[in-house]
Amino acid sequence: MASSADGSRQAALGYPDGIYTWQSVPVLNISQVSDKVALSWQASSSAEGFVLQAGSDLMASNWALMTNIITQTNGMNGLLVPISPSGNEYFRLLNFQ
C-alpha cells in the first residue's frame, strides 16, 4: 500500500486481483460574506488538477474558467467574488487531469 503525504491519494496491490486506487474528491464550500460569495475547498494533493468554473445556467455548456487569485489558508484554497447583479451564478470544481 502507498499513500500521498496528506492521505488524500492511496494505492494498494492485491494479488491476484490487481491494483486498487482511491482519491478523495474536493468539496466546494459556498457561503455569503456581506456582498460577496466565499468559495473554498481543501488544498490536498487530490485537489491538484481541479479548476474552478462559474456559469449563469446549470444546463448550459459555457462554463467559464475563474481566473481570480486563489489564496491558501489553514489547508484550504479560497477566494471571494462579488455577487452577480442578476443573482444567478453557479460554481463548480472540474478535474482536468
Side-chain angles (χ1 to χ4, degrees):
M1 181 164 180
S3 175
S4 62
D6 62 10
S8 66
R9 293 180 180 193
Q10 299 178 0
L13 177 62
Y15 179 79
D17 299 327
I19 298 173
Y20 298 91
T21 60
W22 175 84
Q23 171 178 321
S24 65
V25 177
V27 174
L28 183 61
N29 304 300
I30 303 172
S31 61
Q32 184 175 349
V33 177
S34 188
D35 62 340
K36 298 190 183 324
V37 176
L39 305 167
S40 65
W41 62 98
Q42 191 171 15
S44 62
S45 65
S46 64
E48 293 172 13
F50 280 81
V51 295
L52 183 63
Q53 294 183 323
S56 59
D57 183 351
L58 285 174
M59 302 305 289
S61 60
N62 59 343
W63 287 83
L65 180 65
M66 299 216 37
T67 57
N68 305 58
I69 295 174
I70 297 169
T71 59
Q72 195 175 98
T73 306
N74 297 327
M76 298 293 286
N77 291 321
L79 67 146
L80 289 171
V81 295
I83 293 176
S84 170
S86 70
N88 294 330
E89 191 158 24
Y90 302 94
F91 303 95
R92 71 180 183 185
L93 288 172
L94 185 65
N95 190 349
F96 268 111
Q97 284 188 342

